[in-house]
Amino acid sequence: MSSHAPHGQTPLRTVQVLGGGSAGSGAHVRSLSAGLVARGVRVTVCAPAEVGESHTFDAVGARYVPVARRGDPASVAALRAECADADLVHAHGVNAGLRAALALRGLRVPLVVTWHARVHAQGPRAQVVRLMERRVARAASVVLGTCCDLVDRARRRGARDARLAAVAFPARDTDPAEDMSPEDREVVRGKARAELGAVGRPLLVAVGSLDAHRGYETLLDAAHTWLGLDPVPLLVIAGEGPLRGQLQRRIEAERLPVRLLGRRDDSPEILAGADAALLTSRWEARSPVAQEALRARVPLIASAVGGTPELVGDAASLVPYGDAGALGDAVARVLGDAAYRDALRDRGVAQAATWPTEDETVAQVLSVYDELTRPLVLR
């Protein structure tokens, strides 16, 4: 599909709404906006100022409007002003979907919502999240889920039309593993290992915010089993969050071979030096870390939860969530079995080749837009 605005027709006008803009959803919206603009669609992106600054939506031809991630009347009114003349609004995430639904109240503008992830909440907050999800699912003309688990969740919340989304995670411009020779990859790997202090010993890498749902307490439990390996592996965790103090105290008190790196913007470079990447979350959809690891030929050990099994197939070592023993055994096998390690690397590259491309992602989204706006064209 080369253009969405044939001669004599007004280009389709869409508004993309972002909330917090995680690395995955922000990159997706930037990629999607670029593809839509290239096909003749007019795109406005409404997102908080910090998201706009980090993803530079205007650089791909979209019109960017800063809109706060709040549900107060002023913020909803600002969003409504941008959406009122749109042919279609596409929100990304439950929070963005709720604000878009409020802004569109009384307007005959179709709403598409992509659910990129689940909101992690417990206690009274979990009930609030369920109500939010129900409101968004029922308000949307179409819900696109980034994994089967999210599609099923949207249906349980009352979505009238929920589908599996084709979502490409664009490779970063700075990805050191992209189109690199084995020799150059080894140079990058050596530099990363030297910078992290892992010369002469295996390096394990985990990337993600220091929150309870990441499973880092289990990861530290498993680190005890690595103390018997020779040489002892070093685990580095790149990320920041509320559990930093608690985790650091455990690391020091138990003398674990673990370093907390804090917030880092160079996860591809860190992963390039790893002997294995660890993803121990309670739940994931299409984890950017898992995708980066497989693309970089880094063996992945991950919790068998959410969308991870369908994302990685047989290209990763999958373990039950919260099982420190299984996690420790998986690490020992990956580090101790060179043939298994090489097999995971080869399977990772093959699995990554099956993931949707950016063009396929844009094509699917445009087909949904066509369904919902075709009556506008026929009038």
Side-chain angles (χ1 to χ4, degrees), residues 269-296:
E269 286 79 2
I270 295 172
L271 281 169
D275 293 286
L278 306 181
L279 184 65
T280 55
S281 307
R282 181 187 306 137
W283 192 90
E284 293 280 353
R286 297 182 65 85
S287 164
V289 175
Q291 294 179 70
E292 286 178 347
L294 267 59
R295 282 174 169 170

Side-chain angles (χ1 to χ4, degrees), residues 9-21:
Q9 290 187 10
T10 303
L12 186 71
R13 298 163 298 171
T14 71
V15 174
Q16 307 289 320
V17 183
L18 263 168

Side-chain angles (χ1 to χ4, degrees), residues 135-151:
R135 173 69 185 272
V136 171
R138 294 178 177 179
S141 303
V142 174
V143 174
L144 298 174
T146 57
C147 66
C148 292
D149 196 34
L150 286 175
V151 173

Side-chain angles (χ1 to χ4, degrees), residues 56-74:
T56 58
F57 300 107
D58 52 353
V60 298
R63 174 174 169 262
Y64 167 66
V65 178
V67 177
R69 185 184 184 270
R70 295 195 300 267
D72 60 279

Side-chain angles (χ1 to χ4, degrees), residues 29-86:
V29 171
R30 190 180 193 276
S31 169
L32 178 60
S33 297
L36 292 174
V37 169
R39 289 159 177 78
V41 178
R42 291 169 54 188
V43 177
T44 296
V45 178
C46 293
E50 64 273 14
V51 178
E53 291 171 5
S54 61
H55 291 287
T56 58
F57 300 107
D58 52 353
V60 298
R63 174 174 169 262
Y64 167 66
V65 178
V67 177
R69 185 184 184 270
R70 295 195 300 267
D72 60 279
S75 298
V76 172
L79 185 58
R80 183 181 178 88
E82 296 300 328
C83 295
D85 294 328

Side-chain angles (χ1 to χ4, degrees), residues 189 274-275 294 296-299 315 338 340-350:
R189 172 181 164 83
D275 293 286
L294 267 59
R297 295 182 56 83
V298 175
Y340 180 57
R341 228 171 24 246
D342 289 341
L344 287 180
R345 291 188 178 112
D346 292 341
R347 291 177 200 163
V349 173

